[in-house]
Each structure stands twice: as structure tokens, then as C-alpha cells.
Amino acid sequence: MKSIVILISGRGSNMEAIVQACQQESWPARIAAVVSNKASAEGLQFAAARGIATAVVDHKAFDSREAFDAELARVVDGFAPDVVVLAGFMRILTEGFVRHFEGRMLNVHPSLLPAFPGLHTHQRAIEAGCKLAGATVHFVTPELDHGPIVAQAAVPVLPGDTPQALAERVLVQEHRLYPQAVRWLVEDRLALDAGVVRHRDGTPQVTWGG
């Protein structure tokens, strides 16, 4: 059975979706821990209430990103993870941290990468006149929001959409897409081929939502 460690900074709604899917679908894995850089993160309470170990590594207690990431890696390694999942973890990770967990760390980003990496994705998609928006699950690499794509979910950009309305529809798809992608990684159904993710059984990796 594989171990999953999830990193959050706030509520962790994607974390909740992954925890619930892991338990309800009987994955060959367990959520070993939920770790946050903020003691006030609401998601820690959700995890603790379900008997999941929690830990806090406060980034404000460190003089540099490198020092914080070194301690974060030490804490995460303490739970012996096979898979590390970023679920609303609002810190840019150093190359050293990423390399340490490379090939077993996933992130979800609220755009159809490579379009709109970074912040304010929904506003930027609307301003650009995009007809489709969505979410992307990808392996984490040192370049922000540019890792090999595991799966994507697309939703239409509707006339009169606001960033908030679009974000809410995309989040619904994230809650469905992200657990599925984590399960694929847990079950060894993903392979990297020259920087491109291949699905070992040919399962479609693009889905559509409303």
C-alpha cells in the first residue's frame, strides 16, 4: 500500500476530494499526512477529524525559501511518501525540493496549461476571449506550472462570465479530475516518455464539464 502526503495552505477542498475518493474507492494507498505552511489552515481540522496525521511548517519562521523547503522536505519525508500532492499549497518551491520529489509530485492548476500559468487565470482567460477554460493536473518540475501534463478538464467560458463564476465551475472539475489523476499515479498507470505523460491503458486524459 502506497503512502500519500498532501500539502495545503488553506481549506484544501481538493485535499478533501482526494481523501474521500481514496477511502470510498478503496485505493491501494492511504493518506499518510496533510502538511500545511499555516497553522490556521482549515484543511488540517478536516484531516485530523478523519484520523489523518497533520503537521505544520511555518514558512515565516525561516530566513530563506531554501531553509523552509529543507525543513518541509524533512517533515514530508518523515511520512515516507510514495506520492506528494499539492492541493492549494501557496508557496513557490525551490528547485532542490522539486528535484527531491520529482516524478512523484502532482499539482492541479486552474487553466488549460500551457495557457495562463501563474495567478488570476480565470480573469486572464475571460479577457483573452477564450471559449474554453479548465483545469490541468501535471507533474511538478522546477519551472512553475510547466510540468508534464497528466490530465485536463475543459469547461466553456459562458457569455457574461465573471472570474468567480468561471472559477466555481472549474473547481467542480478539479474535484473530479485531481483524485482520478492521483489514483492513476498510485496504481502505476502513468509513464513519462520524453517529457510527455502516457497512460498505460489508453484511458482518455481530457474530459469535459459544464
Side-chain angles (χ1 to χ4, degrees):
M1 180 170 289
K2 293 188 177 179
S3 294
I4 301 170
V5 172
I6 305 177
L7 306 186
I8 65 170
S9 291
R11 174 189 165 195
S13 66
N14 274 308
M15 175 272 295
E16 293 181 9
I18 291 166
V19 168
Q20 291 168 349
C22 182
Q23 295 173 345
Q24 294 170 5
E25 299 170 8
S26 300
W27 296 0
R30 67 184 185 94
I31 309 300
V34 173
V35 180
S36 179
N37 63 310
K38 295 182 178 181
S40 60
E42 296 176 17
L44 294 173
Q45 299 174 15
F46 174 91
R50 283 153 183 79
I52 299 169
T54 63
V56 175
V57 182
D58 186 352
H59 64 278
K60 295 181 180 178
F62 297 87
D63 294 333
S64 67
R65 289 173 53 201
E66 289 76 13
F68 167 71
D69 279 11
E71 178 60 13
L72 181 64
R74 187 193 69 79
V75 170
V76 171
D77 277 339
F79 297 104
D82 299 288
V83 174
V84 176
V85 178
L86 306 182
F89 187 68
M90 303 304 291
R91 299 291 300 171
I92 295 176
L93 297 166
T94 59
E95 181 173 355
F97 185 94
V98 172
R99 295 295 186 198
H100 183 67
F101 295 105
E102 197 165 12
R104 53 185 170 131
M105 184 160 57
L106 295 178
N107 182 47
V108 65
H109 182 74
S111 79
L112 295 175
L113 293 174
F116 309 121
L119 301 175
H120 310 300
T121 57
H122 307 299
Q123 179 70 41
R124 291 157 64 196
I126 292 170
E127 290 176 349
C130 293
K131 308 309 178 188
L132 290 174
T136 302
V137 178
H138 63 95
F139 281 101
V140 179
T141 60
E143 187 176 1
L144 182 67
D145 298 331
H146 279 78
I149 293 171
V150 174
Q152 293 181 305
V155 302
V157 179
L158 303 177
D161 250 341
T162 64
Q164 181 179 355
L166 181 56
E168 289 172 356
R169 292 204 312 283
V170 170
L171 188 61
V172 170
Q173 298 307 312
E174 290 182 36
H175 291 167
R176 180 189 54 77
L177 185 72
Y178 207 6
Q180 182 63 77
V182 175
R183 182 174 182 176
W184 287 338
L185 184 57
V186 163
E187 294 179 343
D188 297 319
R189 292 163 64 182
L190 303 176
L192 277 169
D193 179 11
V196 176
V197 178
R198 310 294 184 189
H199 203 289
R200 297 186 190 278
D201 61 7
T203 300
Q205 292 172 261
V206 178
T207 56
W208 298 89

